[in-house]
Amino acid sequence: MKSTRWDHRLGVRADDRNLVGHAGVVLLRRIADKTGLTTALARALPQGTGPGWRDRGEALVMLACAIMLGATNVLEAEQLQHHWRRLFPRPISDSTLRRALEAIDGPAAARVERVRAAIRRVVWTMLALRPGGFPWISVCGRELAGWYVLDLDATIVTCSSRKEGAAGTFKGSYGHHPLGAWVANTRECAAMLLRCGNAAANDVADHKSVLAAALRQLPLPIWSKLLIRIDGAAFSHALLEHLQALTTSRRRVRWVTGWAINTADERAIALLPEQVWTCALRQDGQVHEIKGPDGEWLSYQVAELTGVRDLTGWPEGMRLIVRRVNPRAGMRRS
């Protein structure tokens, strides 16, 4: 019998017959094929010859689909492929998946990075051409049209065995502590730096490395506007000065980071008059409230501290915004 592609005569119906769980992974694999990612990965990775040789680009895409289905290792990835035979007509063995991953050395990883950037440019062009246009995010109920938003944050990946790089984390768990960058507009991961579990959350070199990798992935147009958001891990002269220097004649960069409050900040906050405080807003524009211990709603308030706090030595033009909430008896620190 003549072989056909896995999605030959694929159909989707909105009824209650022949229900299939995790149907979204079908679209995930189709997107990889339709955008050219599967073919481009195959060209970027080392290839072999001989009977039974499997396409390594297809192997990576199928591995990603298996991970979306819940696989936590290559053996489970193989088992899930056998379980979902309609999605994976020719399952790839765990040994083949291991060899495909081991083939990604430094030069191959660089080629994969360039492939990801090229395919992302194609996808972003499709998004811009759709009726709704490119997805812009809203802050405090206001749409930031034309702004590309990049979020950097570290995350904890726990594990129960002594895997490579696993160590105790600052949160008391055990595992890994990768640092990643996500595009808020499209909710996609642009870059990820794998780190040991005991890696520092505020490592300046790691943040610069992830930021540089993320910028290589973003198909930003000329005269683009980029907003970078980082939590308190960015509280350092070196990193803030680096963010400040990212603005060029062809790219406008603004940033929002956390700030570690010290005694000088507390003294400056105490000097703020009561009338400068105003209600804080959530990202959707609604008033930011929290339910108190007695069931009453308490509003967060914000004020600008820029003109009160001495910012000598910090990047020029930096502004400080502080937030407070009136704690009741049950919310105060003991």
Side-chain angles (χ1 to χ4, degrees), residues 8-63:
H8 180 64
R9 299 179 64 183
L10 174 68
V12 179
R13 299 191 305 271
D15 57 26
D16 58 354
R17 300 177 59 187
N18 301 319
L19 298 181
V20 178
H22 299 90
V25 76
V26 178
L27 299 179
L28 179 65
R29 187 175 177 193
R30 277 186 61 86
I31 288 175
D33 292 348
K34 290 293 185 180
T35 57
L37 178 61
T38 306
T39 303
L41 286 175
R43 295 174 178 173
L45 297 176
Q47 297 298 310
T49 58
W53 178 264
R54 301 303 301 270
D55 185 293
R56 283 178 172 166
E58 182 183 11
L60 287 186
V61 171
M62 293 173 70
L63 177 58

Side-chain angles (χ1 to χ4, degrees), residues 90 129 202 283:
R90 298 178 60 208
L129 294 176
N202 58 348
Q283 186 162 336

Side-chain angles (χ1 to χ4, degrees), residues 199-212:
N202 58 348
D203 190 286
V204 175
D206 288 350
H207 277 80
K208 289 183 178 181
S209 175
V210 171
L211 186 57

Side-chain angles (χ1 to χ4, degrees), residues 113 116-117 120 124 149-155 178-184 186-195 206-218:
E113 182 182 15
R116 292 177 58 232
R120 180 171 285 108
W124 281 27
V149 182
L150 185 66
D151 295 328
L152 269 69
D153 197 9
T155 183
L179 177 64
W182 290 265
V183 183
T186 55
R187 300 182 180 181
E188 59 186 313
C189 180
M192 182 69 68
L193 177 63
L194 304 181
R195 307 191 303 169
D206 288 350
H207 277 80
K208 289 183 178 181
S209 175
V210 171
L211 186 57
L215 291 178
R216 289 194 297 268
Q217 286 295 312
L218 302 187

Side-chain angles (χ1 to χ4, degrees), residues 133-146:
F134 193 82
W136 308 115
I137 71 166
S138 297
V139 176
C140 295
R142 177 183 176 184
E143 184 182 71
L144 299 183

